[in-house]
Amino acid sequence: MSEVGEITRETCGRYDANASSYGEASEDYDRFPGLRAEVVEFARLAPRPLPVLDLGCGGGRDARLLASLGRTVIAGDYAPAMLEWARDRSRGREEGRTLGFLRLNTLALPLRDASLAGVWASGSLLHIPSVGMERALAEIYRVLAPAGIAAISMRIGDGEGWKKGGSLDGRRWFTFVDPDAFTNRLEAAGFTGVRIRFAGRAGWFIAVGTR
């Protein structure tokens, strides 16, 4: 898994180097059709009262919305500068809910077994190489309580590798997946009732499964 670690460090380094500009650019839900409704639905479906995890929280946009919807949220990211930007932007906006911030690695989540009601992963697992995806999904499954849900958005396609451009300068790793194949991966990890929704954002889908 050393290659996976190197890929993660370089990709997250791009977010660290551009934390402020990326955080500002990703704030507006109007730029991401359908995304706000997906977050609201996740907040409704995740059983209470356990907290939920925004895995790969970036600038904290979705974590703040989840908190405003009455959920107790852990905002987690591997990129420390990005996490600090999210913490600063979120200060004083938790609306009475705990909005904890945690640096984490998806392949070894620093959380107890069965401690979460839900894991929200919006566009974060697409930076995990295929060789590490099984372990990432196993970790998400492990930290979910029975009946907890995972909602994972991915890019539709085939293949993986380094790509330049898009919302950040420099190269980042992208893993594109077929929705049916990703459903099979989730089921192999133990998730049940997996359903796929094609997002309002071209080329994206969200997979929702229950532990």
Side-chain angles (χ1 to χ4, degrees):
M1 287 289 182
S2 59
E3 181 186 3
V4 178
E6 292 170 6
I7 288 169
T8 299
R9 282 189 291 274
E10 181 170 346
T11 298
C12 288
R14 291 293 88 216
Y15 289 95
D16 264 340
N18 298 273
S20 179
S21 60
Y22 180 81
E24 291 290 355
S26 61
E27 277 290 285
D28 188 359
Y29 276 110
D30 289 342
R31 296 187 57 198
F32 309 97
L35 180 56
R36 192 181 192 283
E38 292 167 7
V39 178
V40 171
E41 180 71 356
F42 169 78
R44 184 184 70 82
L45 291 175
R48 296 175 185 268
L50 291 175
V52 298
L53 170 66
D54 183 0
L55 178 58
C57 67
R61 173 200 60 213
D62 297 343
R64 288 189 291 277
L65 176 56
L66 287 165
S68 77
L69 294 168
R71 300 308 308 235
T72 300
V73 188
I74 301 167
D77 205 283
Y78 186 80
M82 192 81 261
L83 198 60
E84 186 61 30
W85 193 95
R87 183 185 288 109
D88 288 345
R89 178 55 64 95
S90 303
R91 190 167 286 124
R93 297 172 61 176
E94 298 89 340
E95 302 194 11
R97 291 283 165 173
T98 300
L99 191 62
F101 293 87
L102 181 65
R103 190 179 185 217
L104 51 74
N105 183 337
T106 304
L107 302 184
L109 294 173
L111 297 163
R112 298 190 310 276
D113 294 358
S115 59
L116 299 175
V119 174
W120 171 258
S122 181
S124 52
L125 265 62
L126 65 87
H127 296 310
I128 300 289
S130 291
V131 68
M133 194 66 71
E134 180 179 351
R135 183 168 170 181
L137 294 177
E139 278 292 278
I140 292 172
Y141 186 87
R142 177 185 66 79
V143 299
L144 283 172
I149 65 167
I152 304 169
S153 62
M154 299 290 290
R155 294 277 296 272
I156 301 169
D158 182 30
E160 59 187 309
W162 294 106
K163 293 188 178 296
K164 291 185 177 181
S167 57
L168 293 177
D169 293 333
R171 69 176 193 167
R172 292 174 290 164
W173 185 274
F174 287 87
T175 297
F176 300 95
V177 295
D178 173 79
D180 290 336
F182 195 69
T183 295
N184 292 338
R185 279 185 172 269
L186 284 166
E187 290 174 344
F191 290 95
T192 61
V194 179
R195 55 198 184 278
I196 298 292
R197 292 185 180 179
F198 293 95
R201 304 169 301 289
W204 288 83
F205 70 92
I206 183 167
V208 180
T210 304
R211 187 196 193 286

